[in-house]
Amino acid sequence: MSKTVGDLNLDDEHTTVGIDDTLQEAALRLLTTSGGIVVVLNDDQHVKGVIGQRQLIKALSEGVDAAESQCHSHMEMDFMKVHLNDRLKGVLKDIKERTPQAVVAVDENEEFVGYFSPSDYQEAVDLVANLKGLNL
């Protein structure tokens, strides 16, 4: 009875934006997401990158016009994809080894389904520890 990524609530702490949307749009969406990130998607709903506060502040500090500059020019591309049926124990090991900037969940078609946030990481650690304690 191992737990999988699909057992977590991955539909909070993020919002999405299109790859050609402006940084201004990303910032507006990020403001509505407490402590989260903006996941940058292409037209096929595939993850191309993420934008967090750091990427926005960096772009603005470089004098970028947020109303004109597009997300694809400023997104972080160090993200790791996990699938809903991936076992949490393996995912936690991979995250620890790779230390990506973000972890996103995708379905069997590689379409975005959720953001594996730091709080999801902690929930996964707790679930795996509880199962280990039960010898499952």
Side-chain angles (χ1 to χ4, degrees):
M1 176 183 202
S2 63
K3 293 289 185 176
T4 64
V5 171
D7 293 319
L8 301 173
N9 175 18
L10 302 175
D11 62 357
D12 58 350
E13 300 184 66
H14 75 274
T15 188
T16 62
V17 71
I19 197 163
D20 293 324
D21 285 336
T22 65
L23 277 181
Q24 182 177 31
E25 181 62 30
L28 290 170
R29 293 184 188 193
L30 188 59
L31 284 172
T32 67
T33 307
S34 177
I37 65 165
V38 178
V39 179
V40 182
L41 305 175
N42 67 8
D43 291 339
D44 295 324
Q45 301 303 298
H46 293 168
V47 179
K48 293 301 179 183
V50 296
I51 295 177
Q53 295 173 356
R54 182 170 171 21
Q55 287 76 32
L56 287 172
I57 291 169
K58 182 176 184 284
L60 293 175
S61 72
E62 294 169 350
V64 168
D65 182 350
E68 295 292 326
S69 189
Q70 295 175 323
C71 290
H72 66 82
S73 299
H74 303 282
M75 63 189 180
E76 172 67 54
M77 293 185 290
D78 178 22
F79 64 91
M80 184 173 110
K81 289 191 285 188
V82 296
H83 293 87
L84 294 176
N85 60 352
D86 289 347
R87 294 184 175 178
L88 288 178
K89 187 174 182 179
V91 168
L92 293 173
K93 180 179 179 266
D94 292 345
I95 291 171
K96 189 173 182 179
E97 288 175 1
R98 181 155 171 253
T99 62
Q101 293 297 312
V103 179
V104 296
V106 297
D107 65 14
E108 62 278 353
N109 297 316
E110 299 295 308
E111 292 179 8
F112 175 72
V113 292
Y115 167 57
F116 196 98
S117 69
S119 62
D120 294 321
Y121 181 87
Q122 187 57 54
E123 181 183 353
V125 167
D126 294 343
L127 281 170
V128 169
N130 287 339
L131 290 176
K132 185 177 181 182
L134 295 172
N135 295 321
L136 296 176

